[in-house]
Amino acid sequence: MSVAVVVEAPGRHRIAEHTPRDPRPGEALVAVHAVGVCGSDREVYRGNRPEGYIRYPLTPGHEWSGTVRAVGAGVPGALVGRKAVGEGFRNCQVCARCHAGETTLCTAGYEETGFTQPGAMAGTLTLPARLLHVLPEDADLTAAALLEPAACVAAAALKAAARPGERVGVVGTGTLGMLAVRFLRAVSPAELLVVGTGREREAPARSFGASDFRLTGEELPDDLDVVIEAAGSASAARTAAALLRRGGRLVLTGIPAPGAGGLDPTALVVRQLEVHTVFGAPPAAWAHAVRVFGAGLLDPLPLVTHELPLTEFAQAMELVGAGDPKVGKVLLRP
């Protein structure tokens, strides 16, 4: 019997029998192989997701990989049997922002798989086929379950536009931080500094390509060309900005809790810093992440430390929220 996780309301969930929904015209039915658990899923469970960005009851799961099992009318039949991942934002495709390729800024309103639409913590997922990104036939679907956070980091890397020989840095040592290290290493920087809060993250950072690792309390440089912030802590943005030279480029990806310290506007102007932000990933970033993954330049599998069945959803929530540095990426398997 196929099952699904259903979060009825904050703090309350059940494991329910799952019946696949046949794809309508323009849709595809995917058999889920694995689904990643991230901090935003914990927000869904705890009830502190911002209003308008959640709709209960809900099956969570926006980081996933799987195999296309069926397609609806108007969708190429060649997709059936292909390994795939998929975008989460259910954009309208007709507003000005969508036409510009900025689908995460769709003006039709926010809709996203696993938050306002049924997610992948189930045996199958039915979604618009246009959101699919097909993988190579020999792709490792367990590793591919991390391509959603990789796409978000790809969006940051594209905005950072790091060039070979530049001095770059990453603030944050979680999944996003390590993926950012991998993307930045691919452009052959002269130096790649990772800043974290615990020494136990140094070895993973170096294995992913960091040339230097320092703790937030240690002496830090102030002359890097590019920094990607991927921590989301209250002080991460300020720490990241302080690492930059005048005219440096900063990309913020973490979403801190309300009340977090912001950037000093005077310092931004005087130092002429170029600041970008990322919320989700547009199609170009997804395509970039999938291309890099398919070329063998990105292997996120070492980030996975736990694989659990869907029935152990509660344990997965505990692992993600425990703050244990030994806990990396947690995957659920249908």
Side-chain angles (χ1 to χ4, degrees):
M1 181 185 72
S2 179
V3 299
V5 175
V6 179
V7 178
E8 298 280 7
R12 185 159 52 91
H13 81 283
R14 61 186 174 89
I15 306 298
E17 183 175 353
H18 172 69
T19 300
R21 181 174 71 77
D22 291 337
R24 295 187 286 260
E27 293 184 328
L29 171 69
V30 176
V32 178
H33 174 83
V35 54
V37 182
C38 82
S40 57
D41 294 310
R42 193 162 184 267
E43 289 179 353
V44 169
Y45 188 55
R46 296 186 57 168
N48 49 14
R49 183 83 171 162
E51 185 178 355
Y53 290 84
I54 184 69
R55 188 179 300 137
Y56 299 102
L58 175 73
T59 293
H62 60 286
E63 305 177 3
W64 58 270
S65 64
T67 302
V68 179
R69 292 303 185 207
V71 296
V75 179
L79 280 176
V80 176
R82 296 302 303 271
K83 296 176 179 179
V85 291
E87 299 175 32
F89 283 80
R90 306 290 185 94
N91 43 79
C92 74
Q93 292 290 289
V94 296
C95 72
R97 298 278 53 81
C98 282
H99 280 307
E102 299 173 335
T103 54
T104 59
L105 301 177
C106 177
T107 58
Y110 171 80
E111 294 286 347
E112 185 176 3
T113 299
F115 296 105
T116 64
Q117 297 290 332
M121 290 186 186
T124 67
L125 173 66
T126 303
L127 74 165
R130 61 181 171 77
L131 299 178
L132 294 177
H133 288 262
V134 176
L135 302 173
E137 292 185 2
D138 61 350
D140 183 332
L141 281 177
T142 301
L146 278 74
L147 282 177
E148 192 278 341
C152 295
V153 172
L158 291 172
K159 288 190 174 184
R163 295 180 284 270
E166 288 192 311
R167 301 175 67 235
V168 303
V170 174
V171 175
T173 57
T175 297
L176 292 180
M178 293 300 95
L179 292 172
V181 171
R182 187 69 86 190
F183 274 98
L184 289 175
R185 171 51 60 189
V187 300
S188 302
E191 176 185 345
L192 204 174
L193 169 67
V194 173
V195 178
T197 58
R199 186 59 66 182
E200 70 281 347
R201 298 302 295 168
E202 179 173 3
R206 290 187 181 277
S207 71
F208 265 67
S211 60
D212 193 7
F213 181 93
R214 301 189 196 182
L215 300 177
T216 52
E218 296 178 338
E219 182 178 355
L220 299 174
D222 60 0
D223 57 355
L224 300 186
D225 298 293
V226 175
V227 174
I228 293 179
E229 178 276 321
S233 65
S235 59
R238 284 180 177 266
T239 298
L243 294 171
L244 289 163
R245 63 167 171 80
R246 295 188 68 190
R249 305 188 298 283
L250 172 63
V251 184
L252 305 175
T253 70
I255 303 178
L263 299 175
D264 180 357
T266 301
L268 291 179
V269 173
V270 172
R271 299 177 63 209
Q272 299 184 62
L273 297 184
E274 184 179 323
V275 181
H276 298 274
T277 60
V278 168
F279 177 60
W286 271 94
H288 182 46
V290 170
R291 184 169 53 248
V292 171
F293 175 73
L297 299 174
L298 173 67
D299 180 16
L301 194 60
L303 296 174
V304 178
T305 59
H306 294 76
E307 294 184 55
L308 305 172
L310 279 179
T311 51
E312 296 186 24
F313 171 78
Q315 182 182 345
M317 290 296 101
E318 292 179 5
L319 286 169
V320 171
D324 184 345
K326 295 181 181 180
V327 176
K329 194 65 185 179
V330 178
L331 298 182
L332 291 174
R333 301 287 293 270

